[in-house]
Each structure stands twice: as C-alpha cells, then as structure tokens.
Amino acid sequence: MTDTVTRNDAGTSAASVPKRLVIFAKDKGGTGASFIARLVGEMHANRNAGALLVDGDGTTASLSKHFGLPRENYDDPSAVNEQNPVRTFSLHGKERDRDKIASLLEADASTIVLDLPATALTVLRRIEAEAGWVGMIRQHGFRPTIVASITPFEESIFDLRDAMELFGADADYIAVVNIGTAEDRDDFSLWDGGETRKRFCAAGGLEVEFPRLKPRIAAVLSKYKLTFEAGLSSEHLELMDRSRLAKWISLAETAIAPVAPQLGL
C-alpha cells in the first residue's frame, strides 16, 4: 500500500477553502465507491467533524443503511442528529425529489459528503444542462471534491474522465485505487499507463490506494447494517475477523489521511 499523494503545483490548498462538497459520482456500478464513502462518512462521524452525509440512492442504499433511519422530512434540519445523520433523496426519482441535489447546498454545513448511485454522471450532465448545478455549488461557497474509485476495468477510468470534463478545473480530484477489486496493484495497468491518469496528474489530482477487506467481513457488516466501528465489537464476527477488521480500519484511515483536507476531515 502507498500512503503518498500524487499532486502538482496546480493543486489548491485545502486550508483556504471554507466549505467542501465531497462527491462520490460514477456511471459504472460495482466500483466500491459507496464502500469508500462509508469509511469517509464514518471518519467524519467519529471525529464529530460536523459533515452532512447525503445518500442520493434513496433510503435503502449504503449511507442511509449503515448510518441511520430513512428521513421522513428532508427539509427539516432537526431530523439530522446522532441517531439519524443521513439525508436521503433519489437521484433517479421524479423531478421534485431529484431537485433536492440542489437544495442540499442550502444546508448549514461546512462539509457535505454526497454518495450517488450508478449512472449518476449521466443524470448530473442533464441537470447541469438544465439548471447549471456546478455553478450553484460554487455560488453557495462550496469547492467540489470529486472522488473516483478506480478498478482494473476501463469503465471506472472513463467515469473519472467524464467527471473531470463536467466539473472542470475549479475542483479537486481524488483517485482511489481500490485494491479490493483486484489481486494487487499490478492489475491496474489500464490506469497506470493511461492518458486519463496523465491528465489527472497534470490537473493536480490526488491518488491513494485503498486496502482490501475480506469479503466475508464486509458481507456481515452489510447483513447486520453495522458501521465499521460497530463491527469491532459485534457478536456476528469471530475474534480473528474482528482483529482483521481493526487492522483494515487502521490501514484504510492511513490511506485516506493524505487527502483528509480535501475530504473536509
């Protein structure tokens, strides 16, 4: 695992950015982006960093499933609390629900972590053409951080390329090389030798590696709707797997640490 960051002088200092909109957006499903978003959300929650977590895949998706009950009233800020910290809406729903992707920008939060479902980039391009959503982000004082989960498959690379075209130069980009989707780093030749990575690095992109968690552990956490931290004391995991989970959390948080400022942490 590497804990270094790829960045050049084009990068923007996070210390000068007042607010962050951290967006996990993709078209291709199955890249592990929501899994990474869960860790980032949990790091915010554990540090009481005041981030607003938003799940754009309705009330049954990853963030809402693992962090709280579905919200009955999206517009009631008092409904977001320690027991129920996640706002939800459906990006693939009707227009009124989809439009909540804009109203969340009015929330009183210095950091918003927004996890979006598969085909989100296609929908975002349509919203941008209709209403200029990217401009709204900046008008409300947020700087976008786009997080892309990179797998050995070219579709995940295309997602990052498309996101860079949509959000442009006035954004930060994080490529998370998701080792959990491969045997090892050698499987990422399409990314490592590709044009998208060259453009990404030239634009000041940040790159980190995300470690693999044993699938059986991830499956238990999903089945019982447990956060990673809750899994450490869960009776549903045997002692060795609880120890493996603890080691994985440490490795994952170490991997994320170099990009913590861009994630609002």
Side-chain angles (χ1 to χ4, degrees):
M1 183 190 73
T2 178
D3 56 6
T4 60
V5 178
T6 303
R7 191 182 184 117
N8 70 7
D9 291 339
T12 300
S13 171
S16 63
V17 178
K19 297 198 292 185
R20 284 276 175 185
L21 176 61
V22 181
I23 308 171
F24 291 80
K26 69 274 186 184
D27 269 345
K28 176 70 170 70
T31 64
S34 290
F35 195 77
I36 299 166
R38 276 171 52 195
L39 178 75
V40 171
E42 191 162 331
M43 290 174 72
H44 273 284
N46 290 344
R47 300 179 188 193
N48 195 26
L52 174 63
L53 309 183
V54 181
D55 198 320
D57 198 13
T59 58
T60 60
S62 184
L63 288 183
S64 54
K65 174 181 177 180
H66 289 273
F67 285 95
L69 299 171
R71 293 199 56 189
E72 295 181 357
N73 186 349
Y74 180 96
D75 297 313
D76 178 8
S78 66
V80 177
N81 52 53
E82 291 182 358
Q83 288 73 42
N84 187 23
V86 180
R87 287 190 177 188
T88 63
F89 73 101
S90 177
L91 186 69
H92 296 310
K94 295 181 179 179
E95 183 177 276
R96 184 172 297 232
D97 195 29
R98 188 171 65 246
D99 285 353
K100 290 173 183 175
I101 198 170
S103 60
L104 69 89
L105 298 172
E106 298 177 322
D108 183 17
S110 60
T111 301
I112 299 174
V113 177
L114 173 59
D115 186 30
L116 295 175
T119 73
L121 284 170
T122 296
V123 178
L124 291 182
R125 283 192 292 270
R126 186 166 69 246
I127 293 173
E128 174 64 13
E130 292 175 354
W133 181 63
V134 174
M136 291 182 204
I137 295 171
R138 286 143 189 161
Q139 289 167 9
H140 283 81
F142 287 93
R143 180 175 176 87
T145 294
I146 314 304
V147 185
S149 178
I150 303 297
T151 76
F153 299 94
E154 62 181 359
E155 288 84 358
S156 66
I157 301 170
F158 294 160
D159 281 350
L160 176 55
R161 178 200 63 191
D162 293 346
M164 291 175 66
E165 291 177 356
L166 176 61
F167 289 93
D170 192 19
D172 291 319
Y173 297 95
I174 299 173
V176 182
V177 179
N178 191 352
I179 302 299
T181 63
E183 291 291 334
D184 52 40
R185 182 60 189 250
D186 290 343
D187 290 337
F188 291 86
S189 58
L190 293 178
W191 165 249
D192 288 332
E195 288 300 317
T196 298
R197 186 172 186 269
K198 292 178 183 177
R199 290 175 51 198
F200 167 81
C201 292
L206 308 171
E207 179 184 308
V208 298
E209 287 185 9
F210 196 73
R212 179 179 183 269
L213 179 64
K214 280 187 175 293
R216 69 166 177 266
I217 298 175
V220 169
L221 298 178
S222 178
K223 178 179 180 180
Y224 294 102
K225 303 179 181 179
L226 299 173
T227 62
F228 299 117
E229 184 177 12
L232 296 176
S233 57
S234 173
E235 62 182 8
H236 301 297
L237 288 172
E238 295 184 0
L239 177 59
M240 281 297 291
D241 278 349
R242 295 200 300 271
S243 181
R244 291 184 177 102
L245 176 59
K247 182 176 181 179
W248 177 85
I249 291 173
S250 177
L251 290 172
E253 291 188 347
T254 298
I256 292 296
V259 295
Q262 288 73 28
L263 297 172
L265 289 163

